[in-house]
Amino acid sequence: MRIGIYVGGLGQSFHDDTVEKYALRIKNELNYTHTGESFDIKTEKVAYTDEKESTVVSIFKKNENDNAEEEGAIVYKLYDFKYNDILTEKFKERNILIKNLILFWLVVKKFPQIVLRLFKYNSFSRPYLTFYAFFILFIISLAILFFIPASLDIATNLSASSEFKNLMSVFRLDVIIDSINSFLVKINSPTVKDLFKAGVPITALILLIVPESKTIITSLATEFVCVDQYIENGDRSQIILGNLDLLVEYIAENEPNSKIHFHCYSFGSIVVKDLLFPVGTIPSPNLINLSKLLVTVGTPYEFVNAYYPSYYADRCNVMEDRMKWFNIYSLSDALATNFRKDSKKGDAEFGIGGLKIVPINLNYEVSASKNMNIFNFFTLYGIRVHKYYWDISTQGQSCVRLLMSKMKENDFI
């Protein structure tokens, strides 16, 4: 039995993609390519630990006898692995100001390293797209800070109003208001006001041009901060990888003669690489014996490597000769990696750290134009295209067509 484990993205999964939608895209491609045959799906939930469950989608061939009550042979089965809540639960509890302050500090901390990569980079390509993604993170981290001077200005004017003071005195809050006013007067300098005048129009322009920018800001802040904590400090990594290991063990016990394929999008690919090519340990016996395919879609390998250049060093090489790797990328995607020494499409030239495994590259572009013009820059196109590997509708075209063709060619489905 061929079994896929779907590990989705994090903050960039704006349209809340699910394993059911991913399975429907595979089912549709099977229907397109198998004349005279049709396929359908069945969804169920299984508990692979006492606390964790997985949604399982079986893709099966319909019987020719038109018996709707009877299922045909299962051709592929997909389990999902959810790690988002584990990784982001602490960060989501914080307010948006604290989130942006943390994001701002992380970007500033990495600034010298990113600038250096513009002039000195070795085996990795596209330093300018990496810098672009970094620059956008810097801008959005300032977005909320731009409104602080506005808040100070409003609070100062309001607290100076006699009507406001009379109202506050009714509730016996006038002493507190006077203290706040005294503090605001001290820090509300002309420089702060100038920052407000310059910053608010810029932020307003971004909000006007890109209506979903608030979602992008929140998602990117969540993703980048949680990724930093996961990579830099190992925060939540052990429990995430432990749960993924348990899912593999469940499949090994309940799916006889299974061959496991990992389908990973965005940050999900980082998690799976950590499982397959760990540092300081080795994969489990079932993971070694059953894993046959790694699929990465929009993997931010180079982006991670730019911020954390030693992260992929000294990885376990047990799996490097045991499985194939298909990498789907877009040249327009500022977060994706083409695993080449240039910014062109073509065969991959390197893999993970110093390991021998090199992906089979599959280039997928939504638009023929890949030029970064000023309009695309301000509309965050290089970031937004990260979600364009498939449409929110499962009926639309997607990168899954390229993947299915390559999987059939290699007898993976």
Side-chain angles (χ1 to χ4, degrees):
M1 173 65 68
R2 294 173 174 88
I3 306 291
I5 298 179
Y6 179 74
V7 187
L10 195 58
Q12 279 295 309
S13 297
F14 298 140
H15 40 258
D16 191 26
D17 207 31
T18 63
V19 67
E20 292 96 331
K21 290 183 178 180
Y22 190 76
L24 278 170
R25 295 184 184 104
I26 294 177
K27 183 210 77 170
N28 290 339
E29 293 303 327
L30 290 173
N31 282 329
Y32 297 151
T33 56
H34 288 71
T35 305
E37 297 178 326
S38 60
F39 299 83
D40 209 341
I41 67 171
K42 176 185 177 182
T43 303
E44 59 183 325
K45 288 188 179 293
V46 299
Y48 62 93
T49 72
D50 292 338
E51 299 178 350
K52 297 295 179 181
E53 65 178 19
S54 174
T55 301
V56 185
V57 184
S58 300
I59 304 174
F60 60 90
K61 186 184 297 185
K62 288 184 178 179
N63 285 320
E64 295 180 357
N65 58 10
D66 296 327
N67 186 346
E69 300 297 325
E70 187 177 345
E71 297 175 6
I74 295 177
V75 297
Y76 205 74
K77 187 178 284 190
L78 280 161
Y79 287 72
D80 76 337
F81 176 69
K82 300 182 180 73
Y83 64 91
N84 303 54
D85 291 341
I86 299 174
L87 187 63
T88 63
E89 58 184 351
K90 292 181 180 179
F91 186 73
K92 284 182 176 178
E93 294 174 356
R94 294 169 171 156
N95 64 54
I96 191 169
L97 177 59
I98 297 299
K99 288 179 181 179
N100 277 268
L101 285 172
I102 294 173
L103 179 62
F104 175 75
W105 165 243
L106 288 178
V107 174
V108 169
K109 183 174 67 173
K110 296 295 181 180
F111 182 82
Q113 197 170 31
I114 295 300
V115 173
L116 182 63
R117 294 286 298 251
L118 288 174
F119 306 99
K120 184 180 179 181
Y121 59 97
N122 41 36
S123 61
F124 300 102
S125 64
R126 309 199 301 164
Y128 297 103
L129 269 182
T130 302
F131 181 81
Y132 167 74
F134 152 79
F135 183 75
I136 293 300
L137 286 171
F138 178 74
I139 292 298
I140 64 175
S141 67
L142 289 175
I144 298 301
L145 302 182
F146 282 155
F147 285 102
I148 293 178
S151 302
L152 297 177
D153 197 48
I154 292 171
T156 301
N157 293 332
L158 187 62
S159 59
S161 167
S162 58
E163 292 82 359
F164 183 76
K165 286 183 177 180
N166 293 334
L167 179 62
M168 291 299 100
S169 64
V170 174
F171 297 97
R172 299 181 179 180
L173 297 175
D174 49 324
V175 176
I176 297 176
I177 295 301
D178 288 340
S179 300
I180 294 175
N181 184 50
S182 177
F183 172 75
L184 292 174
V185 168
K186 290 179 181 179
I187 66 172
N188 198 16
S189 65
T191 303
V192 174
K193 289 184 177 180
D194 290 341
L195 177 63
F196 159 61
K197 291 177 181 178
V200 170
I202 294 173
T203 307
L205 179 63
I206 293 175
L207 290 172
L208 179 64
I209 296 176
V210 191
E212 71 270 29
S213 57
K214 181 181 178 182
T215 305
I216 295 175
I217 289 170
T218 303
S219 299
L220 278 174
T222 300
E223 184 161 1
F224 186 59
V225 170
C226 292
V227 166
D228 177 80
Q229 293 171 349
Y230 173 94
I231 294 175
E232 193 84 275
N233 308 318
D235 188 32
R236 317 300 287 173
S237 64
Q238 289 178 307
I239 187 171
I240 290 173
L241 297 177
N243 276 302
L244 185 50
D245 242 338
L246 288 171
L247 179 57
V248 171
E249 294 303 311
Y250 176 90
I251 293 172
E253 293 178 5
N254 293 273
E255 304 283 1
N257 303 315
S258 56
K259 298 178 180 179
I260 296 179
H261 308 157
F262 290 94
H263 297 256
C264 321
Y265 167 59
S266 193
F267 182 72
S269 64
I270 304 299
V271 172
V272 173
K273 287 170 192 171
D274 288 345
L275 183 75
L276 294 171
F277 310 102
V279 58
T281 184
I282 59 174
S284 68
N286 280 325
L287 188 66
I288 293 173
N289 294 328
L290 302 181
S291 300
K292 304 300 179 184
L293 175 65
L294 170 63
V295 177
T296 56
V297 180
T299 179
Y301 173 87
E302 186 171 341
F303 192 72
V304 170
N305 199 73
Y307 279 92
Y308 314 93
S310 62
Y311 185 67
Y312 287 106
D314 302 319
R315 293 290 179 137
C316 177
N317 63 358
V318 171
M319 299 297 296
E320 64 180 357
D321 295 321
R322 293 176 173 267
M323 60 192 309
K324 283 202 171 185
W325 175 10
F326 299 147
N327 176 57
I328 302 173
Y329 69 97
S330 168
L331 293 176
S332 303
D333 184 358
L335 299 177
T337 307
N338 64 350
F339 292 95
R340 290 178 55 82
K341 298 176 184 179
D342 56 37
S343 57
K344 301 177 181 179
K345 63 181 180 180
D347 295 337
E349 298 174 341
F350 58 88
I352 301 170
L355 300 180
K356 290 190 296 184
I357 185 169
V358 175
I360 297 172
N361 267 347
L362 302 175
N363 175 247
Y364 181 77
E365 303 290 345
V366 174
S367 171
S369 175
K370 308 174 189 66
N371 297 324
M372 180 58 70
N373 55 44
I374 191 68
F375 179 77
N376 286 342
F377 181 87
F378 280 108
T379 57
L380 314 182
Y381 181 75
I383 300 295
R384 290 187 295 115
V385 77
H386 191 58
K387 65 176 180 177
Y388 291 165
Y389 292 96
W390 41 65
D391 191 78
I392 187 172
S393 169
T394 58
Q395 302 300 320
Q397 290 188 359
S398 71
C399 67
V400 176
R401 176 165 296 179
L402 289 175
L403 175 61
M404 287 296 101
S405 175
K406 188 60 68 172
M407 287 181 68
K408 287 179 64 179
E409 179 184 320
N410 288 268
D411 196 32
F412 285 124
I413 194 167

